[in-house]
Amino acid sequence: MRSRTFNKKAVAEGADSNDLYKNLEIEINPFCLSRGSNFAFEGSATARHAWRYLDLSPHVAYMADVVQRTIREDMLEESRYLRSHGQARSAIKEVVEMPDAQVDRVIRSIQNNKGELSGAMRKELPILEAPGLWEAIVAAVQLAFEVGPQSDAADKYDGTRKSVL
């Protein structure tokens, strides 16, 4: 059985590690060995001041700042993108009728290929090669993302909605 104690004064004076243990009792407990540990801490009364009432004020302030930035910046940007995406989807459906999954692929293709019709899209949707159709779709998508969302949460309350294009 081994017993060492922690000396607060030695810590304040910057003592080496051998002088730090004078009031902290550590003992090897045979019962703990059978459960996978050989450490038993008997100085909880001495250490209670350190862990009982933790001052987490800096952590709370940091988390509040992260949440505030997430709501004000990231979620606002995501909301604007989703609304613009929805408007682009509606604009494409006014030009040509297709399922939402294909419309989303067309929007991604326009964004990834800078408005050029890719070979994969030509094979999957040959209708897009019709004269003027691809250009009209690209213009509608670009308008939706350049202008930004044309509706706001306040529009839901007065029943009016601005046109997509």
Side-chain angles (χ1 to χ4, degrees):
M1 188 150 100
R2 186 171 92 186
S3 178
R4 298 178 85 184
T5 56
F6 189 79
N7 187 343
K8 293 180 197 173
K9 185 178 178 186
V11 172
E13 295 173 358
D16 67 7
S17 61
N18 291 331
D19 294 333
L20 297 179
Y21 301 97
K22 291 210 171 143
N23 291 331
L24 189 66
E25 297 178 9
I26 300 173
E27 71 178 48
I28 297 173
N29 188 340
F31 176 72
C32 293
L33 288 173
S34 65
R35 293 190 295 165
S37 174
N38 65 348
F39 181 75
F41 181 67
E42 300 293 330
S44 63
T46 306
R48 183 172 291 143
H49 70 281
W51 59 265
R52 188 169 186 187
Y53 299 109
L54 293 176
D55 182 16
L56 297 176
S57 300
H59 298 82
V60 171
Y62 171 76
M63 283 305 297
D65 183 49
V66 168
V67 169
Q68 182 180 25
R69 264 189 286 148
T70 300
I71 291 171
R72 289 193 177 168
E73 296 170 14
D74 298 338
M75 290 181 77
L76 180 63
E77 183 180 328
E78 182 70 16
S79 172
R80 286 182 179 149
Y81 174 81
L82 290 174
R83 287 188 282 171
S84 294
H85 185 86
Q87 289 173 353
R89 183 187 279 178
S90 297
I92 290 173
K93 285 190 172 194
E94 287 181 16
V95 175
V96 64
E97 185 62 37
M98 62 177 68
D100 287 343
Q102 285 182 335
V103 172
D104 293 341
R105 278 203 68 216
V106 167
I107 293 171
R108 280 193 309 271
S109 176
I110 291 170
Q111 291 172 335
N112 293 340
N113 299 325
K114 298 177 182 151
E116 295 294 320
L117 182 59
S118 68
M121 291 302 293
R122 287 176 203 255
K123 289 179 184 175
E124 185 178 332
L125 300 168
I127 186 97
L128 296 177
E129 293 184 281
L133 183 63
W134 181 252
E135 290 78 18
I137 291 173
V138 169
V141 170
Q142 286 177 341
L143 181 65
F145 282 97
E146 285 175 5
V147 173
Q150 298 297 308
S151 65
D152 197 357
D155 295 340
K156 294 180 181 178
Y157 297 107
D158 64 5
T160 63
R161 188 177 175 108
K162 299 175 188 172
S163 67
V164 174
L165 294 176

